[in-house]
mmCIF file of all heavy atoms in Angstrom:
data_model
loop_
_atom_site.group_PDB
_atom_site.id
_atom_site.type_symbol
_atom_site.label_atom_id
_atom_site.label_comp_id
_atom_site.label_asym_id
_atom_site.label_seq_id
_atom_site.Cartn_x
_atom_site.Cartn_y
_atom_site.Cartn_z
ATOM 1 N N SER A 1 199.838 39.438 5.362
ATOM 2 C CA SER A 1 200.905 38.687 6.020
ATOM 3 C C SER A 1 200.315 37.731 7.044
ATOM 4 O O SER A 1 199.152 37.844 7.430
ATOM 5 C CB SER A 1 201.900 39.640 6.699
ATOM 6 O OG SER A 1 201.285 40.319 7.762
ATOM 7 N N VAL A 2 201.157 36.791 7.457
ATOM 8 C CA VAL A 2 200.755 35.821 8.476
ATOM 9 C C VAL A 2 201.975 35.543 9.352
ATOM 10 O O VAL A 2 203.113 35.557 8.883
ATOM 11 C CB VAL A 2 200.208 34.523 7.833
ATOM 12 C CG1 VAL A 2 201.273 33.786 7.052
ATOM 13 C CG2 VAL A 2 199.584 33.614 8.867
ATOM 14 N N LEU A 3 201.714 35.315 10.646
ATOM 15 C CA LEU A 3 202.767 35.014 11.614
ATOM 16 C C LEU A 3 202.565 33.571 12.082
ATOM 17 O O LEU A 3 201.479 33.222 12.556
ATOM 18 C CB LEU A 3 202.681 35.990 12.792
ATOM 19 C CG LEU A 3 203.840 36.018 13.760
ATOM 20 C CD1 LEU A 3 205.123 36.468 13.071
ATOM 21 C CD2 LEU A 3 203.525 36.978 14.905
ATOM 22 N N ILE A 4 203.605 32.762 11.941
ATOM 23 C CA ILE A 4 203.514 31.343 12.266
ATOM 24 C C ILE A 4 204.647 30.976 13.221
ATOM 25 O O ILE A 4 205.782 31.402 13.027
ATOM 26 C CB ILE A 4 203.677 30.481 10.986
ATOM 27 C CG1 ILE A 4 202.659 30.855 9.914
ATOM 28 C CG2 ILE A 4 203.661 29.001 11.282
ATOM 29 C CD1 ILE A 4 201.339 30.158 10.011
ATOM 30 N N ALA A 5 204.344 30.145 14.225
ATOM 31 C CA ALA A 5 205.378 29.629 15.134
ATOM 32 C C ALA A 5 206.074 28.455 14.449
ATOM 33 O O ALA A 5 205.450 27.443 14.151
ATOM 34 C CB ALA A 5 204.765 29.192 16.450
ATOM 35 N N ARG A 6 207.370 28.592 14.204
ATOM 36 C CA ARG A 6 208.140 27.582 13.459
ATOM 37 C C ARG A 6 208.069 26.215 14.150
ATOM 38 O O ARG A 6 207.830 25.201 13.494
ATOM 39 C CB ARG A 6 209.586 28.030 13.324
ATOM 40 C CG ARG A 6 210.456 27.077 12.540
ATOM 41 C CD ARG A 6 211.938 27.421 12.556
ATOM 42 N NE ARG A 6 212.222 28.784 12.889
ATOM 43 C CZ ARG A 6 212.580 29.732 12.016
ATOM 44 N NH1 ARG A 6 212.703 29.435 10.757
ATOM 45 N NH2 ARG A 6 212.827 30.957 12.416
ATOM 46 N N ASN A 7 208.288 26.181 15.471
ATOM 47 C CA ASN A 7 208.276 24.892 16.177
ATOM 48 C C ASN A 7 206.903 24.236 16.150
ATOM 49 O O ASN A 7 206.800 23.016 16.026
ATOM 50 C CB ASN A 7 208.757 25.058 17.618
ATOM 51 C CG ASN A 7 210.249 25.332 17.682
ATOM 52 O OD1 ASN A 7 210.977 25.127 16.718
ATOM 53 N ND2 ASN A 7 210.708 25.810 18.836
ATOM 54 N N ASN A 8 205.848 25.018 16.271
ATOM 55 C CA ASN A 8 204.494 24.461 16.195
ATOM 56 C C ASN A 8 204.230 23.877 14.810
ATOM 57 O O ASN A 8 203.611 22.823 14.681
ATOM 58 C CB ASN A 8 203.449 25.525 16.519
ATOM 59 C CG ASN A 8 203.469 25.941 17.967
ATOM 60 O OD1 ASN A 8 204.130 25.322 18.797
ATOM 61 N ND2 ASN A 8 202.760 27.015 18.279
ATOM 62 N N LEU A 9 204.697 24.582 13.793
ATOM 63 C CA LEU A 9 204.510 24.111 12.423
ATOM 64 C C LEU A 9 205.295 22.819 12.195
ATOM 65 O O LEU A 9 204.781 21.863 11.601
ATOM 66 C CB LEU A 9 204.950 25.194 11.435
ATOM 67 C CG LEU A 9 204.624 24.981 9.973
ATOM 68 C CD1 LEU A 9 203.119 24.818 9.757
ATOM 69 C CD2 LEU A 9 205.124 26.167 9.153
ATOM 70 N N ALA A 10 206.522 22.764 12.702
ATOM 71 C CA ALA A 10 207.338 21.551 12.577
ATOM 72 C C ALA A 10 206.677 20.382 13.309
ATOM 73 O O ALA A 10 206.645 19.258 12.797
ATOM 74 C CB ALA A 10 208.738 21.807 13.119
ATOM 75 N N ALA A 11 206.121 20.653 14.493
ATOM 76 C CA ALA A 11 205.429 19.606 15.251
ATOM 77 C C ALA A 11 204.187 19.132 14.497
ATOM 78 O O ALA A 11 203.899 17.928 14.443
ATOM 79 C CB ALA A 11 205.053 20.117 16.637
ATOM 80 N N HIS A 12 203.459 20.060 13.899
ATOM 81 C CA HIS A 12 202.252 19.723 13.139
ATOM 82 C C HIS A 12 202.577 18.764 11.990
ATOM 83 O O HIS A 12 201.821 17.831 11.722
ATOM 84 C CB HIS A 12 201.599 21.001 12.600
ATOM 85 C CG HIS A 12 200.410 20.762 11.730
ATOM 86 N ND1 HIS A 12 199.171 20.448 12.238
ATOM 87 C CD2 HIS A 12 200.280 20.770 10.384
ATOM 88 C CE1 HIS A 12 198.320 20.282 11.249
ATOM 89 N NE2 HIS A 12 198.969 20.474 10.098
ATOM 90 N N PHE A 13 203.708 18.996 11.325
ATOM 91 C CA PHE A 13 204.097 18.163 10.183
ATOM 92 C C PHE A 13 205.081 17.053 10.572
ATOM 93 O O PHE A 13 205.540 16.309 9.709
ATOM 94 C CB PHE A 13 204.696 19.022 9.066
ATOM 95 C CG PHE A 13 203.656 19.800 8.323
ATOM 96 C CD1 PHE A 13 203.441 21.137 8.608
ATOM 97 C CD2 PHE A 13 202.868 19.184 7.360
ATOM 98 C CE1 PHE A 13 202.462 21.857 7.935
ATOM 99 C CE2 PHE A 13 201.887 19.886 6.683
ATOM 100 C CZ PHE A 13 201.684 21.225 6.969
ATOM 101 N N ASP A 14 205.380 16.964 11.881
ATOM 102 C CA ASP A 14 206.305 15.955 12.395
ATOM 103 C C ASP A 14 207.606 15.961 11.588
ATOM 104 O O ASP A 14 208.043 14.945 11.033
ATOM 105 C CB ASP A 14 205.657 14.566 12.365
ATOM 106 C CG ASP A 14 206.458 13.543 13.167
ATOM 107 O OD1 ASP A 14 207.165 13.960 14.107
ATOM 108 O OD2 ASP A 14 206.384 12.346 12.837
ATOM 109 N N CYS A 15 208.205 17.160 11.511
ATOM 110 C CA CYS A 15 209.461 17.311 10.778
ATOM 111 C C CYS A 15 210.387 18.244 11.560
ATOM 112 O O CYS A 15 209.972 18.857 12.536
ATOM 113 C CB CYS A 15 209.211 17.871 9.380
ATOM 114 S SG CYS A 15 208.618 19.576 9.339
ATOM 115 N N ALA A 16 211.612 18.326 11.117
ATOM 116 C CA ALA A 16 212.578 19.215 11.760
ATOM 117 C C ALA A 16 212.298 20.661 11.361
ATOM 118 O O ALA A 16 211.823 20.919 10.235
ATOM 119 C CB ALA A 16 213.990 18.839 11.336
ATOM 120 N N PRO A 17 212.570 21.625 12.252
ATOM 121 C CA PRO A 17 212.390 23.032 11.889
ATOM 122 C C PRO A 17 213.194 23.426 10.644
ATOM 123 O O PRO A 17 212.777 24.300 9.888
ATOM 124 C CB PRO A 17 212.885 23.782 13.124
ATOM 125 C CG PRO A 17 212.643 22.836 14.251
ATOM 126 C CD PRO A 17 212.916 21.477 13.669
ATOM 127 N N SER A 18 214.302 22.741 10.403
ATOM 128 C CA SER A 18 215.090 23.052 9.201
ATOM 129 C C SER A 18 214.301 22.751 7.927
ATOM 130 O O SER A 18 214.514 23.390 6.892
ATOM 131 C CB SER A 18 216.408 22.277 9.204
ATOM 132 O OG SER A 18 216.167 20.887 9.194
ATOM 133 N N GLN A 19 213.379 21.802 7.989
ATOM 134 C CA GLN A 19 212.519 21.504 6.829
ATOM 135 C C GLN A 19 211.596 22.686 6.547
ATOM 136 O O GLN A 19 211.357 23.028 5.399
ATOM 137 C CB GLN A 19 211.698 20.240 7.085
ATOM 138 C CG GLN A 19 210.930 19.770 5.872
ATOM 139 C CD GLN A 19 211.831 19.150 4.824
ATOM 140 O OE1 GLN A 19 212.783 18.452 5.150
ATOM 141 N NE2 GLN A 19 211.543 19.406 3.573
ATOM 142 N N ILE A 20 211.109 23.326 7.592
ATOM 143 C CA ILE A 20 210.285 24.524 7.436
ATOM 144 C C ILE A 20 211.134 25.626 6.792
ATOM 145 O O ILE A 20 210.690 26.300 5.859
ATOM 146 C CB ILE A 20 209.733 24.996 8.805
ATOM 147 C CG1 ILE A 20 208.949 23.880 9.513
ATOM 148 C CG2 ILE A 20 208.907 26.267 8.640
ATOM 149 C CD1 ILE A 20 207.761 23.337 8.783
ATOM 150 N N ASN A 21 212.358 25.793 7.292
ATOM 151 C CA ASN A 21 213.261 26.799 6.711
ATOM 152 C C ASN A 21 213.498 26.544 5.232
ATOM 153 O O ASN A 21 213.533 27.478 4.435
ATOM 154 C CB ASN A 21 214.597 26.821 7.448
ATOM 155 C CG ASN A 21 214.464 27.390 8.830
ATOM 156 O OD1 ASN A 21 213.493 28.055 9.155
ATOM 157 N ND2 ASN A 21 215.444 27.107 9.661
ATOM 158 N N TYR A 22 213.666 25.285 4.864
ATOM 159 C CA TYR A 22 213.900 24.938 3.465
ATOM 160 C C TYR A 22 212.722 25.378 2.590
ATOM 161 O O TYR A 22 212.912 25.981 1.539
ATOM 162 C CB TYR A 22 214.136 23.429 3.312
ATOM 163 C CG TYR A 22 214.247 23.007 1.879
ATOM 164 C CD1 TYR A 22 215.431 23.203 1.160
ATOM 165 C CD2 TYR A 22 213.165 22.443 1.217
ATOM 166 C CE1 TYR A 22 215.528 22.846 -0.168
ATOM 167 C CE2 TYR A 22 213.250 22.085 -0.110
ATOM 168 C CZ TYR A 22 214.432 22.287 -0.804
ATOM 169 O OH TYR A 22 214.511 21.939 -2.127
ATOM 170 N N VAL A 23 211.520 25.097 3.042
ATOM 171 C CA VAL A 23 210.330 25.490 2.273
ATOM 172 C C VAL A 23 210.261 27.011 2.148
ATOM 173 O O VAL A 23 209.991 27.546 1.076
ATOM 174 C CB VAL A 23 209.037 24.924 2.907
ATOM 175 C CG1 VAL A 23 207.795 25.498 2.247
ATOM 176 C CG2 VAL A 23 209.038 23.407 2.830
ATOM 177 N N LEU A 24 210.551 27.704 3.233
ATOM 178 C CA LEU A 24 210.507 29.168 3.210
ATOM 179 C C LEU A 24 211.536 29.739 2.245
ATOM 180 O O LEU A 24 211.240 30.676 1.504
ATOM 181 C CB LEU A 24 210.738 29.732 4.606
ATOM 182 C CG LEU A 24 209.618 29.477 5.607
ATOM 183 C CD1 LEU A 24 210.059 29.877 7.001
ATOM 184 C CD2 LEU A 24 208.347 30.192 5.202
ATOM 185 N N THR A 25 212.741 29.206 2.239
ATOM 186 C CA THR A 25 213.805 29.783 1.411
ATOM 187 C C THR A 25 213.690 29.385 -0.056
ATOM 188 O O THR A 25 214.244 30.062 -0.912
ATOM 189 C CB THR A 25 215.211 29.401 1.924
ATOM 190 O OG1 THR A 25 215.328 27.981 1.955
ATOM 191 C CG2 THR A 25 215.458 29.988 3.298
#
């Protein structure tokens, strides 16, 4: 497993956190 900070990941890709949620789901 891996633990990732959603906001940091969104900032890294310069996208909205909802985009991260979309990829996850």
Side-chain angles (χ1 to χ4, degrees):
S1 66
V2 65
L3 192 63
I4 304 273
R6 182 188 339 256
N7 289 344
N8 291 350
L9 190 58
H12 176 78
F13 285 100
D14 193 26
C15 68
S18 61
Q19 188 73 38
I20 304 300
N21 290 342
Y22 174 79
V23 171
L24 291 171
T25 58

